[in-house]
Amino acid sequence: MTQKIFGIAGWKNSGKTGLAVRLVEEFTRRGYRISTIKHAHHDFDIDKVGADSYRHRQAGAHEVTIVSGTRYAIMHELRGAPEPSFEEILARLAPCDLVLIEGYKREPIPKIEARRLEAARRDPLAPEDPHIVAIAADHEVEDAAGLAVFDLNDTIAIADFVAHTVDLGAPPSPQPARANV
């Protein structure tokens, strides 16, 4: 079975992360297991200077795995090797119902373009990307060219659209409702 994948593309400050977080919350509430991939165009570090794992990496370890009773993380140092392909990253994920992708705007996967008035750039991606199947914006969209258009904050409608687009089907097993605190 191939993975169900849906992307969120847009310029810096276009609302991609907020939309991704809301979609993860909504799909999780519905009982789906969701994984995410976030592409960064800059260097990043998830480790603290001085931590044991940081010291392992600094010493030259190729991969460092940190494991606890609640989570684990594997940090892989490229050490001059090229960035892994999108497919290589997907292959490393555990099975799930849906993989939401933030970034990777040039990958040939179905995606929604996030647009905000405060974005770093306002030029639309959709006219140049045949894989954009919808637009989510915080303003009126004039150039939709037949694409579905959503209010950027209408998480439920966007989640319904994503589920239909990737043919998500019913969740594997119902999750207990969370109590409102």
Side-chain angles (χ1 to χ4, degrees):
M1 181 174 119
T2 41
Q3 290 173 304
K4 307 233 184 237
I5 303 166
F6 195 89
I8 302 167
W11 300 112
K12 182 177 181 181
N13 296 325
S14 63
K16 297 182 305 290
T17 300
L19 179 56
V21 168
R22 291 190 310 274
L23 287 173
V24 169
E25 290 171 343
E26 177 60 21
F27 282 121
T28 301
R29 183 191 66 73
R30 294 179 185 191
Y32 295 101
R33 287 184 8 186
I34 305 300
S35 292
T36 64
I37 297 175
K38 160 76 173 143
H39 187 259
H41 290 283
H42 51 81
D43 193 16
F44 71 94
D45 202 338
I46 61 171
D47 212 358
K48 295 180 194 157
V49 175
D52 292 348
S53 55
Y54 180 89
R55 293 175 62 202
H56 294 189
R57 285 181 31 228
Q58 290 303 106
H62 180 66
E63 284 191 331
V64 176
T65 305
I66 306 169
V67 182
S68 77
T70 55
R71 71 186 53 89
Y72 72 90
I74 300 173
M75 291 174 284
H76 181 98
E77 290 295 316
L78 294 175
R79 307 231 181 262
E83 179 179 318
S85 71
F86 180 68
E87 291 76 17
E88 289 172 310
I89 296 301
L90 278 174
R92 293 188 73 125
L93 293 179
C96 64
D97 299 312
L98 174 66
V99 181
L100 283 175
I101 310 297
E102 181 183 342
Y104 282 105
K105 65 172 82 82
R106 303 290 177 229
E107 290 300 322
I109 59 171
K111 52 186 117 51
I112 190 166
E113 179 181 351
R115 298 182 183 176
R116 287 181 64 228
L117 290 173
E118 293 81 25
R121 290 174 57 179
R122 301 259 317 268
D123 48 312
L125 298 172
E128 304 300 319
D129 186 346
H131 302 287
I132 291 177
V133 295
I135 298 167
D138 70 351
H139 58 279
E140 192 72 28
V141 174
E142 302 291 330
D143 59 345
L147 298 176
V149 177
F150 298 94
D151 180 295
L152 186 59
N153 294 311
D154 192 351
T155 307
I156 292 173
I158 295 170
D160 290 344
F161 178 82
V162 170
H164 176 76
T165 300
V166 301
D167 193 24
L168 197 52
S173 61
Q175 299 293 318
R178 285 193 249 166
N180 291 335
V181 179

